[in-house]
């Protein structure tokens, strides 16, 4: 079975040309391909994603693609290995301070590791960095990457204490401009499930980290689900935190936007618990939820 990539965009022109659009179905020469991150510019689109070959050992790899504004492929380049995978499923492609591009994902050989990739604008891989979990041999896919005021990067992800203990915690890594580790800090509370989603960098250089806190790791009903936001300084020290009320089922802080008056608008969700039987319930998200 062929798995195709569908690449589409709506281009809105400011001139009298009106509106244009395109819809492309692309394979890039592979039986399986998915684009997971796109970075638009005035002259082109850059995208990254995952490809898989049909030839043993079937390792997934990373693909870098440059499109023109009509969706035609300028070029595509891959990063693959017979020894490990390269996957940017929750990629967040960004420009670097020196005019190149960076993305984050994970790589698997004998263990899961967080992956940092730096490309030039021609799609060549300039460098990769891999980071092990401080607890176990498993690293969640990273949630986001943001540039630091010094030209390095913040990477937000999750880790588990062990494969048998699904007590997930936030992990924040601060990297230098070449992806070298400056520090990493773990944030969370024992016996709950803390899952990261988003970041917002403040003018002060401090960072807001957003996600959710829930008890799904240790119960099948009577769920607690709360949006969770906290702020750290440039050393990673937590300076404050905010949780939505415990008696309300709220999704995590999926995205955060700063406002002109110094506030924060947070994209989340509102849920209800529906009983399945005497010992089990189901959490259903019934609507989107925005709060400031």
């Amino acid at each position: 079975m062929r798995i195709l990539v569908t690449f589409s965009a709506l281009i809105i022109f400011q001139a009298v040309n009106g509106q244009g659009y395109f819809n492309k179905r692309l394979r890039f020469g592979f039986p399986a391909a998915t684009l997971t991150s796109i970075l638009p510019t005035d002259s082109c689109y850059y995208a990254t994603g995952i490809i898989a070959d049909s030839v043993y050992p079937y390792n997934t790899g990373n693909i870098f693609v440059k499109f023109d504004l009509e969706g035609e492929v300028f070029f595509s380049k891959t990063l693959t290995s017979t020894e490990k995978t390269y996957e940017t499923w929750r990629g967040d492609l960004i420009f670097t301070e020196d005019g190149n591009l960076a993305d984050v994902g994970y790589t698997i050989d004998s263990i899961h590791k967080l992956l940092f990739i730096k490309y030039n604008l021609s799609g060549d891989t300039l460098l990769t960095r891999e980071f092990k979990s401080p607890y176990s041999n498993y690293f969640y896919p990273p949630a986001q990457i943001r540039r630091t005021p010094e030209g390095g990067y913040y990477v937000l992800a999750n880790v588990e204490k062990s494969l048998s203990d699904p007590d997930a915690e936030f992990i924040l890594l601060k990297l230098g401009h070449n992806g070298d580790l400056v520090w990493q800090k773990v944030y969370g509370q024992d016996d709950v499930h803390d899952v990261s989603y988003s970041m917002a960098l403040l003018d002060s250089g401090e960072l807001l980290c957003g996600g959710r806190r829930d008890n799904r790791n240790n119960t099948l009903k009577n769920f607690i689900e709360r949006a969770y936001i906290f702020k750290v300084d440039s050393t990673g020290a937590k300076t404050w935190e905010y949780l939505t009320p415990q008696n309300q089922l709220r999704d995590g802080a999926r995205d955060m936007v700063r406002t002109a008056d110094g506030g924060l608008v947070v994209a989340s969700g509102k849920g209800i618990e529906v009983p399945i039987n005497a010992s089990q319930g189901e959490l259903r998200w019934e609507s989107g939820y925005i709060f400031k």
Side-chain angles (χ1 to χ4, degrees):
M1 180 181 68
R2 291 179 176 177
I3 301 175
L4 306 182
V5 166
T6 299
F7 174 69
S8 60
L10 174 66
I11 304 172
I12 301 175
F13 294 99
Q14 301 298 324
V16 295
N17 292 337
Q19 292 184 339
Y21 65 91
F22 60 81
N23 188 305
K24 306 287 185 180
R25 295 173 66 83
L26 304 165
R27 292 193 299 267
F28 308 110
F30 293 90
T34 301
L35 296 181
T36 56
S37 186
I38 184 167
L39 181 61
T41 73
D42 292 338
S43 60
C44 67
Y45 300 101
Y46 296 104
T48 54
I50 301 96
I51 50 91
D53 204 345
S54 58
V55 179
Y56 181 83
Y58 310 107
N59 279 344
T60 51
N62 178 254
I63 187 168
F64 180 104
V65 189
K66 182 180 179 181
F67 299 91
D68 68 17
L69 294 180
E70 282 69 50
E72 298 298 325
V73 175
F74 279 127
F75 61 79
S76 63
K77 297 184 180 181
T78 59
L79 174 62
T80 60
S81 171
T82 59
E83 305 297 326
K84 63 177 69 178
T85 66
Y86 294 100
E87 306 183 26
T88 53
W89 284 106
R90 294 171 65 182
D92 194 23
L93 189 64
I94 62 170
F95 279 108
T96 63
E97 188 178 40
D98 57 8
N100 292 297
L101 295 162
D103 202 355
V104 286
Y106 63 89
T107 180
I108 307 170
D109 43 33
S110 59
I111 61 174
H112 287 65
K113 288 171 282 187
L114 188 143
L115 173 68
F116 172 88
I117 308 176
K118 187 175 182 180
Y119 317 89
N120 62 24
L121 299 186
S122 297
D124 301 312
T125 301
L126 300 179
L127 58 88
T128 62
R129 297 286 186 265
E130 300 176 8
F131 305 95
K132 295 181 180 179
S133 166
Y135 291 136
S136 67
N137 289 339
Y138 187 80
F139 225 126
Y140 276 16
Q144 280 192 329
I145 180 173
R146 291 288 182 267
R147 279 170 49 183
T148 68
E150 303 85 15
Y153 312 91
Y154 287 119
V155 180
L156 185 64
N158 277 94
V159 288
E160 291 179 347
K161 291 184 176 178
S162 69
L163 292 178
S164 61
D165 181 5
D167 178 9
E169 297 182 332
F170 284 54
I171 184 169
L172 179 65
L173 293 81
K174 186 175 184 178
L175 310 180
H177 71 282
N178 275 330
D180 300 310
L181 183 65
V182 178
W183 50 252
Q184 66 179 22
K185 300 288 177 70
V186 176
Y187 311 89
Q189 179 178 303
D190 288 342
D191 300 323
V192 294
H193 200 233
D194 290 308
V195 179
S196 63
Y197 291 134
S198 58
M199 290 187 287
L201 187 64
L202 305 180
D203 294 336
S204 62
E206 295 172 301
L207 185 72
L208 296 175
C209 299
R212 76 169 195 259
R213 172 169 290 175
D214 64 65
N215 63 345
R216 292 193 225 176
N217 60 310
N218 56 31
T219 188
L220 295 176
K221 67 175 186 177
N222 299 322
F223 295 114
I224 295 171
E225 190 93 9
R226 310 171 74 182
Y228 178 37
I229 302 168
F230 61 89
K231 183 169 75 171
V232 300
D233 63 21
S234 59
T235 69
K238 187 190 295 186
T239 57
W240 61 255
E241 65 179 12
Y242 170 79
L243 284 156
T244 52
Q246 185 165 317
N247 62 348
Q248 303 172 2
L249 291 175
R250 296 290 183 261
D251 194 10
R254 297 279 178 171
D255 202 4
M256 301 184 292
V257 179
R258 296 168 55 203
T259 59
D261 62 2
L264 190 70
V265 174
V266 181
S268 184
K270 185 177 180 181
I272 59 172
E273 184 172 344
V274 179
I276 297 175
N277 52 45
S279 60
Q280 189 174 359
E282 179 182 59
L283 183 59
R284 295 181 184 174
W285 298 109
E286 59 178 3
S287 63
Y289 182 71
I290 303 293
F291 65 92
K292 182 178 179 182

